[in-house]
Amino acid sequence: MNMNMVFLGPPGAGKGTYAKELVRILEIPHISTGDMFREAVASGSELGKKVEEILKKGDLVPDDLTISIVKERLSHEDCKKGFILDGFPRTVDQAKALDEILTSLGRELGYAVYFEVSEDIVVKRITNRRICKKCGKIYNLITLPPKIDGKCDICGGELYQREDDREEVVRNRYKVYMNNTYPVIEYYQKQNKLFTIDGASGVDSVIKEVLNIIRR
Ligand code: AMP
């Protein structure tokens, strides 16, 4: 069973939500380049200073920087059993680099799971997205509101909105996605590794579908 996976799809396709649930079941790490960059910004590190403005605008961090943090992360012991890469690769060059990294580790990508969602749904989902500061649980004010306004159901932490989840930035992120990341889907199709899932079909059904792909 190969559990080396990448999750593809526009911002707001639900990649993070689905990945969080699946890594709990499969006991493999969830590697989100977006989370890694946001943590770098919050900590004020050198990397954080380099990427802060790029993230604010919703543009892409340069490939060399992004590839090097992924390469480092994939070399950790906990990735041996498998991993879910969420938000990487976002360019064809990153996809090629990932193949090289895995080959150098004597491994191979199992699947690229593509969550298909329309732009309208994406914008609606992202602008209503709220995240717990403490445990990272993702809410949606319309489809998955917290029981108490502004507070996490699980840990009571404060909910916040990502700075790049405002509508103007979301529209730019979607444009960047169509220009740079959409071609990555074709890249994996050619390798016969692409599985397409309707990203709007609800968490339980999506999780079942991904598990079916792995356990085929
Ligand atoms: P995400 O949380 O995946 O939506 O990522 C948030 C932001 O981090 C993106 O809008 C980009 O600015 C940056 N980012 C995350 N992953 C990548 C990547 N693979 N390549 C370039 N930039 C990225």
Side-chain angles (χ1 to χ4, degrees), residues 11 32-35 37-38 54-55 58-61 63 66 86-90 94 129 162 164 173:
S32 154
T33 42
D35 282 349
F37 289 135
R38 277 185 293 280
I54 301 174
L55 261 70
D59 291 335
L60 291 185
V61 173
D63 279 346
T66 310
D86 156 17
F88 181 95
R90 262 176 156 97
Q94 290 181 12
R129 170 159 69 186
R162 268 170 56 173
D164 60 350
R173 285 164 62 201

mmCIF file with all atom_site columns, all heavy atoms in Angstrom, residues 11 32-35 37-38 54-55 58-61 63 66 86-90 94 129 162 164 173, ligand 1:
data_model
loop_
_atom_site.group_PDB
_atom_site.id
_atom_site.type_symbol
_atom_site.label_atom_id
_atom_site.label_alt_id
_atom_site.label_comp_id
_atom_site.label_asym_id
_atom_site.label_entity_id
_atom_site.label_seq_id
_atom_site.pdbx_PDB_ins_code
_atom_site.Cartn_x
_atom_site.Cartn_y
_atom_site.Cartn_z
_atom_site.occupancy
_atom_site.B_iso_or_equiv
_atom_site.pdbx_formal_charge
_atom_site.auth_seq_id
_atom_site.auth_comp_id
_atom_site.auth_asym_id
_atom_site.auth_atom_id
_atom_site.pdbx_PDB_model_num
ATOM   1   N N   . PRO A 1 11  ? -7.642  26.724 -3.994 1.00 0.00 ? 11  PRO A N   1
ATOM   2   C CA  . PRO A 1 11  ? -7.757  27.101 -2.581 1.00 0.00 ? 11  PRO A CA  1
ATOM   3   C C   . PRO A 1 11  ? -9.226  26.969 -2.196 1.00 0.00 ? 11  PRO A C   1
ATOM   4   O O   . PRO A 1 11  ? -10.107 27.325 -2.989 1.00 0.00 ? 11  PRO A O   1
ATOM   5   C CB  . PRO A 1 11  ? -7.318  28.580 -2.566 1.00 0.00 ? 11  PRO A CB  1
ATOM   6   C CG  . PRO A 1 11  ? -7.403  29.045 -3.990 1.00 0.00 ? 11  PRO A CG  1
ATOM   7   C CD  . PRO A 1 11  ? -7.164  27.836 -4.844 1.00 0.00 ? 11  PRO A CD  1
ATOM   8   N N   . SER A 1 32  ? 1.645   20.581 5.028  1.00 0.00 ? 32  SER A N   1
ATOM   9   C CA  . SER A 1 32  ? 1.030   21.700 4.319  1.00 0.00 ? 32  SER A CA  1
ATOM   10  C C   . SER A 1 32  ? 2.073   22.799 4.172  1.00 0.00 ? 32  SER A C   1
ATOM   11  O O   . SER A 1 32  ? 2.523   23.373 5.161  1.00 0.00 ? 32  SER A O   1
ATOM   12  C CB  . SER A 1 32  ? -0.179  22.200 5.112  1.00 0.00 ? 32  SER A CB  1
ATOM   13  O OG  . SER A 1 32  ? -0.435  23.560 4.822  1.00 0.00 ? 32  SER A OG  1
ATOM   14  N N   . THR A 1 33  ? 2.474   23.084 2.925  1.00 0.00 ? 33  THR A N   1
ATOM   15  C CA  . THR A 1 33  ? 3.469   24.148 2.725  1.00 0.00 ? 33  THR A CA  1
ATOM   16  C C   . THR A 1 33  ? 2.899   25.496 3.173  1.00 0.00 ? 33  THR A C   1
ATOM   17  O O   . THR A 1 33  ? 3.627   26.323 3.712  1.00 0.00 ? 33  THR A O   1
ATOM   18  C CB  . THR A 1 33  ? 3.928   24.203 1.254  1.00 0.00 ? 33  THR A CB  1
ATOM   19  O OG1 . THR A 1 33  ? 2.791   24.029 0.402  1.00 0.00 ? 33  THR A OG1 1
ATOM   20  C CG2 . THR A 1 33  ? 4.952   23.132 0.956  1.00 0.00 ? 33  THR A CG2 1
ATOM   21  N N   . GLY A 1 34  ? 1.587   25.692 2.981  1.00 0.00 ? 34  GLY A N   1
ATOM   22  C CA  . GLY A 1 34  ? 0.959   26.937 3.434  1.00 0.00 ? 34  GLY A CA  1
ATOM   23  C C   . GLY A 1 34  ? 1.114   27.098 4.944  1.00 0.00 ? 34  GLY A C   1
ATOM   24  O O   . GLY A 1 34  ? 1.498   28.165 5.434  1.00 0.00 ? 34  GLY A O   1
ATOM   25  N N   . ASP A 1 35  ? 0.835   26.023 5.713  1.00 0.00 ? 35  ASP A N   1
ATOM   26  C CA  . ASP A 1 35  ? 0.997   26.070 7.176  1.00 0.00 ? 35  ASP A CA  1
ATOM   27  C C   . ASP A 1 35  ? 2.462   26.357 7.524  1.00 0.00 ? 35  ASP A C   1
ATOM   28  O O   . ASP A 1 35  ? 2.748   27.135 8.435  1.00 0.00 ? 35  ASP A O   1
ATOM   29  C CB  . ASP A 1 35  ? 0.609   24.723 7.818  1.00 0.00 ? 35  ASP A CB  1
ATOM   30  C CG  . ASP A 1 35  ? -0.903  24.549 7.926  1.00 0.00 ? 35  ASP A CG  1
ATOM   31  O OD1 . ASP A 1 35  ? -1.635  25.537 7.714  1.00 0.00 ? 35  ASP A OD1 1
ATOM   32  O OD2 . ASP A 1 35  ? -1.351  23.422 8.219  1.00 0.00 ? 35  ASP A OD2 1
ATOM   33  N N   . PHE A 1 37  ? 4.715   27.969 5.785  1.00 0.00 ? 37  PHE A N   1
ATOM   34  C CA  . PHE A 1 37  ? 5.022   29.380 5.519  1.00 0.00 ? 37  PHE A CA  1
ATOM   35  C C   . PHE A 1 37  ? 4.367   30.298 6.556  1.00 0.00 ? 37  PHE A C   1
ATOM   36  O O   . PHE A 1 37  ? 4.979   31.247 7.030  1.00 0.00 ? 37  PHE A O   1
ATOM   37  C CB  . PHE A 1 37  ? 4.569   29.789 4.110  1.00 0.00 ? 37  PHE A CB  1
ATOM   38  C CG  . PHE A 1 37  ? 5.411   29.192 3.004  1.00 0.00 ? 37  PHE A CG  1
ATOM   39  C CD1 . PHE A 1 37  ? 4.829   28.631 1.873  1.00 0.00 ? 37  PHE A CD1 1
ATOM   40  C CD2 . PHE A 1 37  ? 6.805   29.201 3.088  1.00 0.00 ? 37  PHE A CD2 1
ATOM   41  C CE1 . PHE A 1 37  ? 5.606   28.083 0.857  1.00 0.00 ? 37  PHE A CE1 1
ATOM   42  C CE2 . PHE A 1 37  ? 7.589   28.661 2.071  1.00 0.00 ? 37  PHE A CE2 1
ATOM   43  C CZ  . PHE A 1 37  ? 6.988   28.096 0.958  1.00 0.00 ? 37  PHE A CZ  1
ATOM   44  N N   . ARG A 1 38  ? 3.108   30.002 6.921  1.00 0.00 ? 38  ARG A N   1
ATOM   45  C CA  . ARG A 1 38  ? 2.438   30.841 7.923  1.00 0.00 ? 38  ARG A CA  1
ATOM   46  C C   . ARG A 1 38  ? 3.148   30.757 9.271  1.00 0.00 ? 38  ARG A C   1
ATOM   47  O O   . ARG A 1 38  ? 3.301   31.763 9.960  1.00 0.00 ? 38  ARG A O   1
ATOM   48  C CB  . ARG A 1 38  ? 0.954   30.443 8.075  1.00 0.00 ? 38  ARG A CB  1
ATOM   49  C CG  . ARG A 1 38  ? 0.056   31.081 7.029  1.00 0.00 ? 38  ARG A CG  1
ATOM   50  C CD  . ARG A 1 38  ? -1.410  30.776 7.276  1.00 0.00 ? 38  ARG A CD  1
ATOM   51  N NE  . ARG A 1 38  ? -1.721  29.379 7.090  1.00 0.00 ? 38  ARG A NE  1
ATOM   52  C CZ  . ARG A 1 38  ? -1.918  28.801 5.908  1.00 0.00 ? 38  ARG A CZ  1
ATOM   53  N NH1 . ARG A 1 38  ? -1.874  29.513 4.805  1.00 0.00 ? 38  ARG A NH1 1
ATOM   54  N NH2 . ARG A 1 38  ? -2.177  27.521 5.802  1.00 0.00 ? 38  ARG A NH2 1
ATOM   55  N N   . ILE A 1 54  ? 4.470   38.005 -0.042 1.00 0.00 ? 54  ILE A N   1
ATOM   56  C CA  . ILE A 1 54  ? 3.963   37.110 -1.100 1.00 0.00 ? 54  ILE A CA  1
ATOM   57  C C   . ILE A 1 54  ? 2.659   36.466 -0.648 1.00 0.00 ? 54  ILE A C   1
ATOM   58  O O   . ILE A 1 54  ? 1.672   36.418 -1.383 1.00 0.00 ? 54  ILE A O   1
ATOM   59  C CB  . ILE A 1 54  ? 5.014   36.013 -1.425 1.00 0.00 ? 54  ILE A CB  1
ATOM   60  C CG1 . ILE A 1 54  ? 6.322   36.647 -1.881 1.00 0.00 ? 54  ILE A CG1 1
ATOM   61  C CG2 . ILE A 1 54  ? 4.471   35.036 -2.447 1.00 0.00 ? 54  ILE A CG2 1
ATOM   62  C CD1 . ILE A 1 54  ? 7.477   35.671 -2.101 1.00 0.00 ? 54  ILE A CD1 1
ATOM   63  N N   . LEU A 1 55  ? 2.638   35.992 0.598  1.00 0.00 ? 55  LEU A N   1
ATOM   64  C CA  . LEU A 1 55  ? 1.434   35.352 1.139  1.00 0.00 ? 55  LEU A CA  1
ATOM   65  C C   . LEU A 1 55  ? 0.273   36.336 1.229  1.00 0.00 ? 55  LEU A C   1
ATOM   66  O O   . LEU A 1 55  ? -0.864  35.991 0.918  1.00 0.00 ? 55  LEU A O   1
ATOM   67  C CB  . LEU A 1 55  ? 1.711   34.750 2.526  1.00 0.00 ? 55  LEU A CB  1
ATOM   68  C CG  . LEU A 1 55  ? 1.979   33.238 2.551  1.00 0.00 ? 55  LEU A CG  1
ATOM   69  C CD1 . LEU A 1 55  ? 3.321   32.909 1.926  1.00 0.00 ? 55  LEU A CD1 1
ATOM   70  C CD2 . LEU A 1 55  ? 1.899   32.679 3.948  1.00 0.00 ? 55  LEU A CD2 1
ATOM   71  N N   . GLY A 1 58  ? -1.309  36.622 -2.017 1.00 0.00 ? 58  GLY A N   1
ATOM   72  C CA  . GLY A 1 58  ? -1.833  35.375 -2.597 1.00 0.00 ? 58  GLY A CA  1
ATOM   73  C C   . GLY A 1 58  ? -1.028  34.917 -3.791 1.00 0.00 ? 58  GLY A C   1
ATOM   74  O O   . GLY A 1 58  ? -1.490  34.108 -4.597 1.00 0.00 ? 58  GLY A O   1
ATOM   75  N N   . ASP A 1 59  ? 0.203   35.438 -3.942 1.00 0.00 ? 59  ASP A N   1
ATOM   76  C CA  . ASP A 1 59  ? 1.086   34.981 -5.028 1.00 0.00 ? 59  ASP A CA  1
ATOM   77  C C   . ASP A 1 59  ? 1.856   33.746 -4.586 1.00 0.00 ? 59  ASP A C   1
ATOM   78  O O   . ASP A 1 59  ? 1.784   33.348 -3.421 1.00 0.00 ? 59  ASP A O   1
ATOM   79  C CB  . ASP A 1 59  ? 2.073   36.098 -5.410 1.00 0.00 ? 59  ASP A CB  1
ATOM   80  C CG  . ASP A 1 59  ? 1.356   37.265 -6.085 1.00 0.00 ? 59  ASP A CG  1
ATOM   81  O OD1 . ASP A 1 59  ? 0.271   37.033 -6.667 1.00 0.00 ? 59  ASP A OD1 1
ATOM   82  O OD2 . ASP A 1 59  ? 1.872   38.401 -6.023 1.00 0.00 ? 59  ASP A OD2 1
ATOM   83  N N   . LEU A 1 60  ? 2.635   33.176 -5.521 1.00 0.00 ? 60  LEU A N   1
ATOM   84  C CA  . LEU A 1 60  ? 3.387   31.969 -5.171 1.00 0.00 ? 60  LEU A CA  1
ATOM   85  C C   . LEU A 1 60  ? 4.785   32.302 -4.652 1.00 0.00 ? 60  LEU A C   1
ATOM   86  O O   . LEU A 1 60  ? 5.479   33.157 -5.201 1.00 0.00 ? 60  LEU A O   1
ATOM   87  C CB  . LEU A 1 60  ? 3.532   31.051 -6.394 1.00 0.00 ? 60  LEU A CB  1
ATOM   88  C CG  . LEU A 1 60  ? 2.272   30.358 -6.908 1.00 0.00 ? 60  LEU A CG  1
ATOM   89  C CD1 . LEU A 1 60  ? 2.615   29.406 -8.044 1.00 0.00 ? 60  LEU A CD1 1
ATOM   90  C CD2 . LEU A 1 60  ? 1.556   29.607 -5.795 1.00 0.00 ? 60  LEU A CD2 1
ATOM   91  N N   . VAL A 1 61  ? 5.193   31.583 -3.628 1.00 0.00 ? 61  VAL A N   1
ATOM   92  C CA  . VAL A 1 61  ? 6.563   31.660 -3.127 1.00 0.00 ? 61  VAL A CA  1
ATOM   93  C C   . VAL A 1 61  ? 7.459   31.024 -4.215 1.00 0.00 ? 61  VAL A C   1
ATOM   94  O O   . VAL A 1 61  ? 7.047   30.045 -4.843 1.00 0.00 ? 61  VAL A O   1
ATOM   95  C CB  . VAL A 1 61  ? 6.670   30.875 -1.792 1.00 0.00 ? 61  VAL A CB  1
ATOM   96  C CG1 . VAL A 1 61  ? 8.108   30.776 -1.319 1.00 0.00 ? 61  VAL A CG1 1
ATOM   97  C CG2 . VAL A 1 61  ? 5.777   31.512 -0.727 1.00 0.00 ? 61  VAL A CG2 1
ATOM   98  N N   . ASP A 1 63  ? 9.868   28.801 -6.475 1.00 0.00 ? 63  ASP A N   1
ATOM   99  C CA  . ASP A 1 63  ? 10.032  27.348 -6.458 1.00 0.00 ? 63  ASP A CA  1
ATOM   100 C C   . ASP A 1 63  ? 11.217  26.873 -5.618 1.00 0.00 ? 63  ASP A C   1
ATOM   101 O O   . ASP A 1 63  ? 11.094  25.906 -4.863 1.00 0.00 ? 63  ASP A O   1
ATOM   102 C CB  . ASP A 1 63  ? 10.215  26.823 -7.899 1.00 0.00 ? 63  ASP A CB  1
ATOM   103 C CG  . ASP A 1 63  ? 8.877   26.691 -8.619 1.00 0.00 ? 63  ASP A CG  1
ATOM   104 O OD1 . ASP A 1 63  ? 7.826   26.738 -7.948 1.00 0.00 ? 63  ASP A OD1 1
ATOM   105 O OD2 . ASP A 1 63  ? 8.897   26.549 -9.856 1.00 0.00 ? 63  ASP A OD2 1
ATOM   106 N N   . THR A 1 66  ? 10.455  26.905 -1.922 1.00 0.00 ? 66  THR A N   1
ATOM   107 C CA  . THR A 1 66  ? 9.392   25.954 -1.590 1.00 0.00 ? 66  THR A CA  1
ATOM   108 C C   . THR A 1 66  ? 9.911   24.518 -1.674 1.00 0.00 ? 66  THR A C   1
ATOM   109 O O   . THR A 1 66  ? 9.672   23.699 -0.779 1.00 0.00 ? 66  THR A O   1
ATOM   110 C CB  . THR A 1 66  ? 8.201   26.148 -2.548 1.00 0.00 ? 66  THR A CB  1
ATOM   111 O OG1 . THR A 1 66  ? 7.863   27.527 -2.571 1.00 0.00 ? 66  THR A OG1 1
ATOM   112 C CG2 . THR A 1 66  ? 6.999   25.350 -2.109 1.00 0.00 ? 66  THR A CG2 1
ATOM   113 N N   . ASP A 1 86  ? -0.133  18.714 1.122  1.00 0.00 ? 86  ASP A N   1
ATOM   114 C CA  . ASP A 1 86  ? -1.318  19.545 0.877  1.00 0.00 ? 86  ASP A CA  1
ATOM   115 C C   . ASP A 1 86  ? -0.834  20.930 0.445  1.00 0.00 ? 86  ASP A C   1
ATOM   116 O O   . ASP A 1 86  ? -0.152  21.610 1.205  1.00 0.00 ? 86  ASP A O   1
ATOM   117 C CB  . ASP A 1 86  ? -2.133  19.547 2.189  1.00 0.00 ? 86  ASP A CB  1
ATOM   118 C CG  . ASP A 1 86  ? -3.050  20.738 2.366  1.00 0.00 ? 86  ASP A CG  1
ATOM   119 O OD1 . ASP A 1 86  ? -3.335  21.440 1.383  1.00 0.00 ? 86  ASP A OD1 1
ATOM   120 O OD2 . ASP A 1 86  ? -3.492  20.946 3.516  1.00 0.00 ? 86  ASP A OD2 1
ATOM   121 N N   . GLY A 1 87  ? -1.153  21.314 -0.794 1.00 0.00 ? 87  GLY A N   1
ATOM   122 C CA  . GLY A 1 87  ? -0.717  22.626 -1.285 1.00 0.00 ? 87  GLY A CA  1
ATOM   123 C C   . GLY A 1 87  ? 0.635   22.569 -1.978 1.00 0.00 ? 87  GLY A C   1
ATOM   124 O O   . GLY A 1 87  ? 1.204   23.613 -2.299 1.00 0.00 ? 87  GLY A O   1
ATOM   125 N N   . PHE A 1 88  ? 1.160   21.411 -2.198 1.00 0.00 ? 88  PHE A N   1
ATOM   126 C CA  . PHE A 1 88  ? 2.408   21.207 -2.939 1.00 0.00 ? 88  PHE A CA  1
ATOM   127 C C   . PHE A 1 88  ? 2.259   19.913 -3.726 1.00 0.00 ? 88  PHE A C   1
ATOM   128 O O   . PHE A 1 88  ? 1.812   18.915 -3.141 1.00 0.00 ? 88  PHE A O   1
ATOM   129 C CB  . PHE A 1 88  ? 3.593   21.094 -1.975 1.00 0.00 ? 88  PHE A CB  1
ATOM   130 C CG  . PHE A 1 88  ? 4.924   20.916 -2.682 1.00 0.00 ? 88  PHE A CG  1
ATOM   131 C CD1 . PHE A 1 88  ? 5.730   22.011 -2.954 1.00 0.00 ? 88  PHE A CD1 1
ATOM   132 C CD2 . PHE A 1 88  ? 5.348   19.660 -3.089 1.00 0.00 ? 88  PHE A CD2 1
ATOM   133 C CE1 . PHE A 1 88  ? 6.949   21.854 -3.614 1.00 0.00 ? 88  PHE A CE1 1
ATOM   134 C CE2 . PHE A 1 88  ? 6.555   19.497 -3.756 1.00 0.00 ? 88  PHE A CE2 1
ATOM   135 C CZ  . PHE A 1 88  ? 7.360   20.599 -4.018 1.00 0.00 ? 88  PHE A CZ  1
ATOM   136 N N   . PRO A 1 89  ? 2.638   19.859 -4.989 1.00 0.00 ? 89  PRO A N   1
ATOM   137 C CA  . PRO A 1 89  ? 3.207   20.914 -5.824 1.00 0.00 ? 89  PRO A CA  1
ATOM   138 C C   . PRO A 1 89  ? 2.148   21.878 -6.380 1.00 0.00 ? 89  PRO A C   1
ATOM   139 O O   . PRO A 1 89  ? 1.012   21.496 -6.607 1.00 0.00 ? 89  PRO A O   1
ATOM   140 C CB  . PRO A 1 89  ? 3.840   20.118 -6.976 1.00 0.00 ? 89  PRO A CB  1
ATOM   141 C CG  . PRO A 1 89  ? 3.041   18.866 -7.067 1.00 0.00 ? 89  PRO A CG  1
ATOM   142 C CD  . PRO A 1 89  ? 2.566   18.559 -5.685 1.00 0.00 ? 89  PRO A CD  1
ATOM   143 N N   . ARG A 1 90  ? 2.573   23.111 -6.603 1.00 0.00 ? 90  ARG A N   1
ATOM   144 C CA  . ARG A 1 90  ? 1.683   24.111 -7.179 1.00 0.00 ? 90  ARG A CA  1
ATOM   145 C C   . ARG A 1 90  ? 2.163   24.565 -8.552 1.00 0.00 ? 90  ARG A C   1
ATOM   146 O O   . ARG A 1 90  ? 1.522   25.414 -9.166 1.00 0.00 ? 90  ARG A O   1
ATOM   147 C CB  . ARG A 1 90  ? 1.631   25.332 -6.259 1.00 0.00 ? 90  ARG A CB  1
ATOM   148 C CG  . ARG A 1 90  ? 0.423   25.353 -5.328 1.00 0.00 ? 90  ARG A CG  1
ATOM   149 C CD  . ARG A 1 90  ? 0.598   26.559 -4.440 1.00 0.00 ? 90  ARG A CD  1
ATOM   150 N NE  . ARG A 1 90  ? -0.596  27.104 -3.862 1.00 0.00 ? 90  ARG A NE  1
ATOM   151 C CZ  . ARG A 1 90  ? -1.027  26.826 -2.633 1.00 0.00 ? 90  ARG A CZ  1
ATOM   152 N NH1 . ARG A 1 90  ? -0.424  25.932 -1.894 1.00 0.00 ? 90  ARG A NH1 1
ATOM   153 N NH2 . ARG A 1 90  ? -2.083  27.444 -2.151 1.00 0.00 ? 90  ARG A NH2 1
ATOM   154 N N   . GLN A 1 94  ? 7.687   22.213 -9.596 1.00 0.00 ? 94  GLN A N   1
ATOM   155 C CA  . GLN A 1 94  ? 7.644   21.615 -8.252 1.00 0.00 ? 94  GLN A CA  1
ATOM   156 C C   . GLN A 1 94  ? 7.283   20.125 -8.345 1.00 0.00 ? 94  GLN A C   1
ATOM   157 O O   . GLN A 1 94  ? 7.832   19.297 -7.612 1.00 0.00 ? 94  GLN A O   1
ATOM   158 C CB  . GLN A 1 94  ? 6.615   22.330 -7.366 1.00 0.00 ? 94  GLN A CB  1
ATOM   159 C CG  . GLN A 1 94  ? 7.018   23.745 -6.960 1.00 0.00 ? 94  GLN A CG  1
ATOM   160 C CD  . GLN A 1 94  ? 5.976   24.414 -6.065 1.00 0.00 ? 94  GLN A CD  1
ATOM   161 O OE1 . GLN A 1 94  ? 5.046   23.791 -5.558 1.00 0.00 ? 94  GLN A OE1 1
ATOM   162 N NE2 . GLN A 1 94  ? 6.132   25.714 -5.858 1.00 0.00 ? 94  GLN A NE2 1
ATOM   163 N N   . ARG A 1 129 ? -14.511 30.916 5.888  1.00 0.00 ? 129 ARG A N   1
ATOM   164 C CA  . ARG A 1 129 ? -13.654 29.996 6.658  1.00 0.00 ? 129 ARG A CA  1
ATOM   165 C C   . ARG A 1 129 ? -13.124 30.687 7.910  1.00 0.00 ? 129 ARG A C   1
ATOM   166 O O   . ARG A 1 129 ? -12.697 31.838 7.876  1.00 0.00 ? 129 ARG A O   1
ATOM   167 C CB  . ARG A 1 129 ? -12.479 29.558 5.771  1.00 0.00 ? 129 ARG A CB  1
ATOM   168 C CG  . ARG A 1 129 ? -11.394 28.811 6.527  1.00 0.00 ? 129 ARG A CG  1
ATOM   169 C CD  . ARG A 1 129 ? -10.550 27.972 5.624  1.00 0.00 ? 129 ARG A CD  1
ATOM   170 N NE  . ARG A 1 129 ? -9.686  28.739 4.728  1.00 0.00 ? 129 ARG A NE  1
ATOM   171 C CZ  . ARG A 1 129 ? -8.950  28.172 3.766  1.00 0.00 ? 129 ARG A CZ  1
ATOM   172 N NH1 . ARG A 1 129 ? -9.000  26.873 3.563  1.00 0.00 ? 129 ARG A NH1 1
ATOM   173 N NH2 . ARG A 1 129 ? -8.187  28.917 3.003  1.00 0.00 ? 129 ARG A NH2 1
ATOM   174 N N   . ARG A 1 162 ? -7.921  33.883 8.140  1.00 0.00 ? 162 ARG A N   1
ATOM   175 C CA  . ARG A 1 162 ? -6.619  34.081 7.508  1.00 0.00 ? 162 ARG A CA  1
ATOM   176 C C   . ARG A 1 162 ? -6.624  35.377 6.723  1.00 0.00 ? 162 ARG A C   1
ATOM   177 O O   . ARG A 1 162 ? -7.597  35.708 6.067  1.00 0.00 ? 162 ARG A O   1
ATOM   178 C CB  . ARG A 1 162 ? -6.343  32.924 6.536  1.00 0.00 ? 162 ARG A CB  1
ATOM   179 C CG  . ARG A 1 162 ? -5.599  31.785 7.155  1.00 0.00 ? 162 ARG A CG  1
ATOM   180 C CD  . ARG A 1 162 ? -5.565  30.596 6.251  1.00 0.00 ? 162 ARG A CD  1
ATOM   181 N NE  . ARG A 1 162 ? -5.009  30.879 4.923  1.00 0.00 ? 162 ARG A NE  1
ATOM   182 C CZ  . ARG A 1 162 ? -4.773  29.936 4.016  1.00 0.00 ? 162 ARG A CZ  1
ATOM   183 N NH1 . ARG A 1 162 ? -5.030  28.681 4.283  1.00 0.00 ? 162 ARG A NH1 1
ATOM   184 N NH2 . ARG A 1 162 ? -4.275  30.252 2.839  1.00 0.00 ? 162 ARG A NH2 1
ATOM   185 N N   . ASP A 1 164 ? -5.216  36.112 4.029  1.00 0.00 ? 164 ASP A N   1
ATOM   186 C CA  . ASP A 1 164 ? -5.400  35.939 2.577  1.00 0.00 ? 164 ASP A CA  1
ATOM   187 C C   . ASP A 1 164 ? -6.733  35.304 2.224  1.00 0.00 ? 164 ASP A C   1
ATOM   188 O O   . ASP A 1 164 ? -6.953  34.887 1.101  1.00 0.00 ? 164 ASP A O   1
ATOM   189 C CB  . ASP A 1 164 ? -4.220  35.149 1.970  1.00 0.00 ? 164 ASP A CB  1
ATOM   190 C CG  . ASP A 1 164 ? -4.053  33.758 2.568  1.00 0.00 ? 164 ASP A CG  1
ATOM   191 O OD1 . ASP A 1 164 ? -4.719  33.449 3.584  1.00 0.00 ? 164 ASP A OD1 1
ATOM   192 O OD2 . ASP A 1 164 ? -3.268  32.968 2.012  1.00 0.00 ? 164 ASP A OD2 1
ATOM   193 N N   . ARG A 1 173 ? -5.757  34.379 -5.753 1.00 0.00 ? 173 ARG A N   1
ATOM   194 C CA  . ARG A 1 173 ? -5.253  33.023 -5.517 1.00 0.00 ? 173 ARG A CA  1
ATOM   195 C C   . ARG A 1 173 ? -5.866  32.047 -6.518 1.00 0.00 ? 173 ARG A C   1
ATOM   196 O O   . ARG A 1 173 ? -5.201  31.126 -6.975 1.00 0.00 ? 173 ARG A O   1
ATOM   197 C CB  . ARG A 1 173 ? -5.560  32.590 -4.076 1.00 0.00 ? 173 ARG A CB  1
ATOM   198 C CG  . ARG A 1 173 ? -4.633  33.279 -3.065 1.00 0.00 ? 173 ARG A CG  1
ATOM   199 C CD  . ARG A 1 173 ? -5.149  33.169 -1.645 1.00 0.00 ? 173 ARG A CD  1
ATOM   200 N NE  . ARG A 1 173 ? -5.245  31.808 -1.159 1.00 0.00 ? 173 ARG A NE  1
ATOM   201 C CZ  . ARG A 1 173 ? -6.026  31.436 -0.146 1.00 0.00 ? 173 ARG A CZ  1
ATOM   202 N NH1 . ARG A 1 173 ? -6.768  32.330 0.480  1.00 0.00 ? 173 ARG A NH1 1
ATOM   203 N NH2 . ARG A 1 173 ? -6.053  30.192 0.239  1.00 0.00 ? 173 ARG A NH2 1
HETATM 204 P P1  . AMP B 2 .   ? -2.333  27.480 1.333  1.00 0.00 ? 1   AMP B P1  1
HETATM 205 O O1  . AMP B 2 .   ? -2.458  27.414 2.821  1.00 0.00 ? 1   AMP B O1  1
HETATM 206 O O2  . AMP B 2 .   ? -1.987  26.157 0.723  1.00 0.00 ? 1   AMP B O2  1
HETATM 207 O O3  . AMP B 2 .   ? -3.529  28.123 0.671  1.00 0.00 ? 1   AMP B O3  1
HETATM 208 O O4  . AMP B 2 .   ? -1.063  28.432 1.024  1.00 0.00 ? 1   AMP B O4  1
HETATM 209 C C1  . AMP B 2 .   ? -1.044  29.786 1.447  1.00 0.00 ? 1   AMP B C1  1
HETATM 210 C C2  . AMP B 2 .   ? -0.013  30.564 0.645  1.00 0.00 ? 1   AMP B C2  1
HETATM 211 O O5  . AMP B 2 .   ? 1.304   30.018 0.855  1.00 0.00 ? 1   AMP B O5  1
HETATM 212 C C3  . AMP B 2 .   ? -0.213  30.535 -0.863 1.00 0.00 ? 1   AMP B C3  1
HETATM 213 O O6  . AMP B 2 .   ? -1.155  31.507 -1.301 1.00 0.00 ? 1   AMP B O6  1
HETATM 214 C C4  . AMP B 2 .   ? 1.209   30.844 -1.345 1.00 0.00 ? 1   AMP B C4  1
HETATM 215 O O7  . AMP B 2 .   ? 1.516   32.213 -1.178 1.00 0.00 ? 1   AMP B O7  1
HETATM 216 C C5  . AMP B 2 .   ? 2.069   30.073 -0.343 1.00 0.00 ? 1   AMP B C5  1
HETATM 217 N N1  . AMP B 2 .   ? 2.314   28.684 -0.799 1.00 0.00 ? 1   AMP B N1  1
HETATM 218 C C6  . AMP B 2 .   ? 1.880   27.543 -0.203 1.00 0.00 ? 1   AMP B C6  1
HETATM 219 N N2  . AMP B 2 .   ? 2.292   26.454 -0.861 1.00 0.00 ? 1   AMP B N2  1
HETATM 220 C C7  . AMP B 2 .   ? 3.020   26.896 -1.913 1.00 0.00 ? 1   AMP B C7  1
HETATM 221 C C8  . AMP B 2 .   ? 3.698   26.257 -2.989 1.00 0.00 ? 1   AMP B C8  1
HETATM 222 N N3  . AMP B 2 .   ? 3.702   24.913 -3.118 1.00 0.00 ? 1   AMP B N3  1
HETATM 223 N N4  . AMP B 2 .   ? 4.359   27.041 -3.874 1.00 0.00 ? 1   AMP B N4  1
HETATM 224 C C9  . AMP B 2 .   ? 4.366   28.381 -3.756 1.00 0.00 ? 1   AMP B C9  1
HETATM 225 N N5  . AMP B 2 .   ? 3.720   29.056 -2.787 1.00 0.00 ? 1   AMP B N5  1
HETATM 226 C C10 . AMP B 2 .   ? 3.040   28.330 -1.859 1.00 0.00 ? 1   AMP B C10 1
#
